[in-house]
Amino acid sequence: MAAQQPRETSVDVVLFDLGGVLLEVGGVGPMRQLSGIDTDEELWARWLACRWVQRLEAGRCSPEDFAAGVVTDWDLPVSAEEFLTTFGAWVNQPMEGASELVEATADSTRVGCLSNTNAYQWDAHFGFLPLIAAFEFRFLSFELGLVKPGRAIFEAVAARLPAEPDRVLFLDDNGVNVESAVEFGFRAHLVRGVGEARRALVDAGVLAG
């Protein structure tokens, strides 16, 4: 059987965010319980704005300093050591169909990931996932020393990609990240989960409908 030919598309590279797009987001329930926050939306808003989360994901503090900072700033009813143990157990499993979606996308165009994450959890849980091995390009906040939604991370990523920004399609589940990517010059869409990601890829002409 002849090899499948890549589809004609205006997209040269697809970049996937990981958590919330291809991986289940772990830790929301445990963190809400610890913090006493009522809704996922409120929790995420505070978590993403937390200086200690940003430092950890930029590779600028140790896991121990991160844990101590979060426990203090959030006034959590546990020790820093207990929180770090809990945090280390937050595992983001691949969503159903995630690997198949990445593989199908790679048959059509070049594929990578762009994710805010940290070395502590990456080394323990994420880096060995077969899904990760499918990415030609891997952009991780703690390796770059930069975090979304800052413009600097998109500048750094664009400098490393063999494509003009307007031919890069970025899929993320956070509206602020999407807005920042669009302002920089990427084509970016807000998607949550594999189904919405697939629809965005079909709409962009990367995948067949």
Side-chain angles (χ1 to χ4, degrees):
M1 181 180 295
Q4 182 179 357
Q5 295 298 312
R7 293 173 55 81
E8 290 294 330
T9 174
S10 61
V11 175
D12 292 333
V13 178
V14 173
L15 294 177
F16 292 94
D17 179 33
L18 294 177
V21 177
L22 299 175
L23 304 180
E24 300 285 354
V25 178
V28 175
M31 194 60 189
R32 278 183 55 189
Q33 185 175 10
L34 278 175
S35 64
I37 291 177
D38 292 331
T39 68
D40 290 357
E41 291 76 12
E42 184 183 355
L43 175 67
W44 275 119
R46 185 172 180 186
W47 182 262
L48 293 172
C50 177
R51 57 178 176 160
W52 292 105
V53 173
Q54 293 176 357
R55 289 177 185 176
L56 184 70
E57 292 186 337
R60 295 175 182 166
C61 74
S62 69
E64 292 76 18
D65 286 344
F66 156 78
V70 170
V71 167
T72 298
D73 284 5
W74 292 54
D75 194 23
L76 300 182
V78 294
S79 69
E81 293 78 10
E82 289 171 324
F83 175 69
L84 188 58
T85 298
T86 299
F87 177 73
W90 294 355
V91 179
N92 297 12
Q93 298 290 349
M95 296 180 182
E96 183 177 356
S99 294
E100 292 81 358
L101 180 63
V102 173
E103 291 169 2
T105 305
D107 285 340
S108 178
T109 192
R110 304 175 82 172
V111 179
C113 64
L114 170 54
S115 180
N116 282 355
T117 187
N118 61 86
Y120 184 71
Q121 290 179 321
W122 184 267
D123 292 342
H125 303 300
F126 309 146
F128 63 86
L129 293 173
L131 172 68
I132 304 303
F135 293 121
E136 180 180 358
F137 308 105
R138 190 184 73 176
F139 301 111
L140 308 176
S141 60
F142 72 88
E143 292 181 340
L144 294 171
L146 302 165
V147 296
K148 299 177 293 184
R151 180 182 177 89
I153 195 169
F154 298 109
E155 292 175 341
V157 168
R160 292 164 169 80
L161 287 176
E164 294 299 317
D166 63 356
R167 296 184 67 86
V168 175
L169 176 62
F170 174 53
L171 305 178
D172 195 289
D173 69 324
N174 186 302
V176 176
N177 294 340
V178 170
E179 291 172 5
S180 182
V182 170
E183 289 175 1
F184 171 72
F186 283 169
R187 297 171 60 182
H189 293 282
L190 179 68
V191 301
R192 295 188 171 96
V194 171
E196 291 187 10
R198 179 178 292 278
R199 174 48 53 190
L201 291 165
V202 170
D203 290 345
V206 176
L207 298 180

